Amino acid sequence: MKVLEAKFVKQFIRVCDNGYKKGWHERNGGNLSYRMKEEEIESVKEELNLNTEFKPIGAHVPSLKNEYFLVTGSGKYMMNVKDDPEDTICIIRVDETGDNYQICWGLVNGGRPTSELPSHLMNLEVVKLRTEGKYRIVYHCHATNIIALTFVLPLDTKVFTRELWEMATECPIVFPMGVGIVPWMVPGGEEIAIETSKLMKKYDAVIWAHHGIFCTGEDFDSTWGLIDTIEKSAEILVKVRSMANSKLQTITSENFKMLEKPFNVKLNKEVLD
């Protein structure tokens, strides 16, 4: 099978295009990565070049050794992924040490994987271990309302989560552990990757203050659904705060607890207390 005919590649491209249409990927902002399944690798192996040069990842990810990833390219525009995927995305392979990668397909006009590759791979390693291999995706975008809230809410996980949960009943069901928060840091390096990976041991979504959001999930639909839900909640909260200084009514802790049994979720007690 040709790479561009594979279902997982088509799903990857759809997420990139949907995010662009949402307005979350101005210029070359945002990135997406996917840890490929063995059968997917096998299905496209005829187009993979394993003789390319290895380059440093910028992070040590031994649990991802010899694995393959579909990732967006550094400096590439999400709006162009749908029309020219061979130029804008690539398949990479991590070496035996977990320190280096090689480009096996894509980026035909030159370039390298996303500048956030250390963050993506470190966090894909964390969630792989946390979920016993189920989670395969990391998605980062510049969701407008989430970014806006990082200027007016305390950069505190409990406060941020509680405010987002209260905006819609589905929120604690979709992200029952809440959201982690990383204060402003220089993007693209090992430092922000380390701080994010600490939070990813517990949370599926981490907000980067004044920058965007970093989400992970088992498949493309659930990862997209998570970030879309959080951003919609943030949009409602922005509107609520613009209309009044305080809420006349809201969803209480007791109300939240009533959701656990019928929806089979366990909410983060630190947020409820």
Side-chain angles (χ1 to χ4, degrees), residues 183-227:
W184 186 89
M185 299 179 73
V186 175
E190 187 176 13
E191 185 179 0
I192 193 170
I194 291 171
E195 291 306 308
T196 306
S197 65
K198 290 177 183 177
L199 292 171
M200 280 285 179
K201 292 177 181 178
K202 182 176 182 179
Y203 303 101
D204 288 347
V206 174
I207 292 172
W208 287 350
H210 323 318
H211 183 164
I213 187 167
F214 207 76
C215 283
T216 186
E218 184 174 350
D219 54 38
F220 291 102
D221 285 348
S222 62
T223 307
W224 172 265
L226 172 62
I227 203 164

Side-chain angles (χ1 to χ4, degrees), residues 16 27 137 144 163 169 176 197 201 203 209 249 252 259 261:
C16 293
R27 201 171 181 271
I137 297 170
T144 308
E163 289 288 338
T169 301
S197 65
K201 292 177 181 178
Y203 303 101
Q249 53 274 324
T252 67
L259 296 171
K261 186 175 181 179

